[in-house]
Amino acid sequence: MQSIEANGYSIIFGESGYDDFNKLIEQNNYSIIFILVDSITNEYCLPKFLPFLATEKTIEIIEIEPGESEKNITTCVEIWSILTEVGADRKSLLLNLGGGIITDIGGFVASTFKRGIDFINIPTTLLAMVDASIGGKNGVDLGNLKNQIGVINVPKMVLVDPKYLTTLPQNEMRSGLAEMLKHGLIFDAQYWSEFIDLNTVDFADFDSLIYRSIEIKNEIVMQDPSENGIRKALNFGHTLGHAIESYFLENENKKILLHGEAIAVGMILESYISWEKELISKTEYLEVKNLIKSVFETIVFEENDLQPILDLLIHDKKNEYGKIQFALLNGIGKIKINQEVDNEMIMKSFADYKS
Ligand SMILES: NC(=O)c1ccc[n+]([C@@H]2O[C@H](COP(=O)([O-])OP(=O)(O)OC[C@H]3O[C@@H](n4cnc5c(N)ncnc54)[C@H](O)[C@@H]3O)[C@@H](O)[C@H]2O)c1
């Protein structure tokens, strides 16, 4: 079994991890075990998970609807109410079995219910495995503003079992791939280079790519758990990516973008800005742009989309003293945080993205 030590918990990898998982549950003598799922992970993932759960304790399933539009405080109130009705106490455990929506909401609900109960993340999407389920960020959206309400609080354990991915649709796999590419770009040039020709990526060995991605995210979080410095590197592509995601979420005429789809655009735009600021070469910029465009379709932005997207940047959580702060590439595999960028340069990046 492979295991990665995180700040106060372990990330256990692979099917043999269920032994440690069951041991942890037994040691903590929980009163009731709640499993949070959405209707899709209830159908596809719960039947794969339950045979591995070895406990005599009462198990209660809580199901919510899938989708980013459910990641809000109303859904939290529903879950807190169910926990209360079923008699959850401070010795209850919440297992979050699902993608990033389930781990984000579940972690927040658990962290705040009776001032905090234990939770364990069992991510079932690629994005949640390599990113959302680790690092301790939990929370919900406020209206269309992403992740405005939340806490940093770590799970008791994260159990990553790639077998759940066999039912994950291709577009959701791509969404997770965006975060893996980001990990290479910001931290590990060698890892990035493994993706440069996607036709030659050995997907039979995908587990080891997932594992490396988790290591990178964890290493960055361990250095800076409360995001005062290097953890801001993980926001590469997310300053513009989140604004684009929020804008498309609230705009009825736009299709809703998956998180990774929006981040893919954000990474191209922010790589362009990195090039303009002479932090990467033109060759490096084109390598990033061409690789990402070979995986993700080009999103069409109308002229009148851009100002509302710029307006949304004001709400980015990295901002300090009213200034919008970017994490930009500083060569492939390195990052420069707290970079100010003017609107004119952002407009230029959108113009170049089209080409
Ligand atoms: N907390 C963090 O550090 C962090 C980091 C990155 C992203 N996020 C958040 O994660 C969220 C996105 O997560 P996501 O992409 O996993 O979305 P998601 O949870 O909506 O999952 C995507 C879809 O796949 C379905 N699904 C899940 N597992 C499946 C499986 N094994 N087989 C078939 N279908 C399955 C889900 O029901 C859903 O419809 C966003 O809200 C984003 O803000 C959080």
Side-chain angles (χ1 to χ4, degrees):
M1 182 194 62
Q2 290 172 297
S3 158
I4 300 170
E5 276 321 295
N7 47 328
Y9 66 102
S10 301
I11 303 162
I12 310 286
F13 195 86
E15 202 166 286
S16 52
Y18 290 94
D19 290 344
D20 273 22
F21 165 78
N22 283 315
K23 219 178 280 165
L24 185 138
I25 290 185
E26 196 184 321
Q27 280 163 358
N28 282 280
N29 192 23
Y30 291 111
S31 52
I32 308 179
I33 297 173
F34 291 87
I35 307 178
L36 182 67
V37 285
D38 66 31
S39 53
I40 297 173
T41 61
N42 196 356
E43 182 178 346
Y44 292 113
C45 305
L46 194 62
K48 287 184 186 156
F49 168 71
L50 285 176
F52 288 93
L53 176 60
T55 180
E56 308 277 288
K57 304 286 178 184
T58 306
I59 297 167
E60 296 281 349
I61 312 294
I62 303 179
E63 183 192 293
I64 63 172
E65 290 304 311
E68 185 75 34
S69 56
E70 302 299 312
K71 198 176 117 174
N72 55 43
I73 207 74
T74 308
T75 308
C76 295
V77 173
E78 284 167 13
I79 303 170
W80 285 320
S81 304
I82 295 171
L83 289 171
T84 306
E85 278 160 26
V86 181
D89 59 18
R90 296 202 54 201
K91 281 300 288 177
S92 301
L93 171 71
L94 185 64
L95 301 179
N96 299 318
L97 181 71
I101 307 281
I102 288 292
T103 57
D104 273 14
I105 299 185
F108 180 67
V109 162
S111 301
T112 45
F113 185 75
K114 295 190 190 282
R115 298 203 186 95
I117 60 170
D118 285 353
F119 65 100
I120 292 177
N121 289 337
I122 306 150
T124 61
T125 63
L126 182 58
L127 186 132
M129 288 179 190
V130 299
D131 194 357
S133 71
I134 49 182
K137 280 191 185 176
N138 314 286
V140 293
D141 303 335
L142 182 64
N144 67 327
L145 297 177
K146 292 272 304 170
N147 305 329
Q148 292 289 300
I149 311 296
V151 293
I152 294 187
N153 184 33
V154 296
K156 283 297 267 187
M157 173 180 272
V158 177
L159 174 60
V160 179
D161 182 352
K163 78 161 174 279
Y164 295 112
L165 297 178
T166 51
T167 54
L168 194 69
Q170 274 306 309
N171 61 339
E172 297 290 353
M173 284 297 278
R174 267 199 300 274
S175 182
L177 183 63
E179 300 287 2
M180 296 170 82
L181 297 175
K182 180 194 77 180
H183 289 151
L185 285 173
I186 64 172
F187 197 75
D188 185 343
Q190 167 60 33
Y191 184 64
W192 162 257
S193 70
E194 292 191 40
F195 294 99
I196 283 179
D197 185 356
L198 276 173
N199 294 324
T200 63
V201 172
D202 183 2
F203 284 96
D205 200 23
F206 203 56
D207 286 8
S208 67
L209 291 172
I210 296 174
Y211 191 80
R212 177 65 191 139
S213 209
I214 295 170
E215 278 183 330
I216 293 173
K217 166 135 192 200
N218 186 52
E219 211 165 312
I220 295 173
V221 173
M222 293 274 275
Q223 284 180 29
D224 176 26
S226 43
E227 198 167 311
N228 296 315
I230 183 65
R231 188 168 182 173
K232 291 180 188 174
L234 291 166
N235 291 312
F236 170 66
H238 285 60
T239 307
L240 287 164
H242 270 160
I244 293 166
E245 190 181 359
S246 291
Y247 178 68
F248 276 60
L249 195 61
E250 73 170 359
N251 198 314
E252 279 176 8
N253 303 321
K254 301 279 181 196
K255 72 164 193 166
I256 292 179
L257 295 178
L258 297 180
H259 180 72
E261 290 171 340
I263 284 353
V265 183
M267 286 196 290
I268 295 178
L269 299 173
E270 294 178 21
S271 297
Y272 174 88
I273 297 169
S274 307
W275 167 47
E276 277 277 356
K277 285 185 167 276
E278 298 181 356
L279 296 168
I280 58 172
S281 67
K282 183 169 187 184
T283 314
E284 288 170 326
Y285 165 56
L286 290 177
E287 184 179 282
V288 175
K289 180 178 172 182
N290 293 338
L291 172 54
I292 295 178
K293 281 208 169 191
S294 74
V295 185
F296 294 90
E297 71 173 275
T298 300
I299 306 295
V300 176
F301 295 96
E302 310 292 342
E303 210 46 51
N304 57 2
D305 292 332
L306 301 188
Q307 191 56 48
I309 291 173
L310 290 182
D311 293 344
L312 282 163
L313 292 176
I314 306 292
H315 303 288
D316 191 272
K317 292 178 296 308
K318 287 185 305 308
N319 295 345
E320 286 171 6
Y321 310 112
K323 295 227 160 70
I324 297 160
Q325 310 263 333
F326 282 75
L328 295 177
L329 294 183
N330 191 15
I332 302 291
K334 295 202 196 76
I335 206 89
K336 204 166 187 182
I337 59 170
N338 300 336
Q339 296 299 295
E340 285 175 31
V341 178
D342 59 39
N343 281 356
E344 197 186 332
M345 181 132 15
I346 297 174
M347 291 295 197
K348 275 171 82 179
S349 71
F350 274 100
D352 186 84
Y353 170 78
K354 267 196 258 177
S355 61

